[in-house]
């Protein structure tokens, strides 16, 4: 558009009204944050129910496989 702007009539001006890239970048960041928090909560709940790190290890390893 910057290249095309040179061919516009003098009274016509180009400006970006809405830039969705900022919104998408923040949304992706929030998704990563939510996945991390959910994984942490699942690990905590599995450990509390199993009462042993060794018994919790297999379900914890299975989290990425199920996602």
């Amino acid at each position: 558009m910057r290249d095309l702007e040179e061919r516009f009539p003098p009274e016509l001006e180009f400006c970006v009204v809405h830039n969705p890239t900022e919104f998408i970048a923040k949304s992706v960041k929030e998704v990563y944050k939510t996945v991390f928090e959910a994984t942490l909560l699942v690990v905590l709940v599995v450990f509390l129910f199993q009462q042993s790190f060794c018994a919790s290890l297999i379900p914890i390893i299975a989290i990425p496989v199920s996602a």
Side-chain angles (χ1 to χ4, degrees):
M1 287 303 294
R2 296 286 177 206
D3 295 335
L4 293 175
E5 190 176 19
E6 297 171 0
R7 297 186 212 159
F8 291 167
E11 64 275 355
L12 188 64
E13 181 180 319
F14 167 75
C15 67
V16 177
V17 178
H18 177 67
N19 188 359
T21 56
E22 295 172 9
F23 172 75
I24 292 172
K26 288 180 183 178
S27 297
V28 169
K29 183 179 177 183
E30 288 297 318
V31 167
Y32 285 138
K33 178 181 159 188
T34 303
V35 167
F36 175 74
E37 290 173 352
T39 304
L40 186 64
L41 286 173
V42 167
V43 168
L44 180 65
V45 168
V46 167
F47 181 73
L48 288 175
F49 276 100
Q50 298 289 335
Q51 297 288 322
S52 166
F53 180 73
C54 292
S56 301
L57 196 58
I58 292 174
I60 290 171
I61 291 172
I63 292 172
V65 175
S66 66

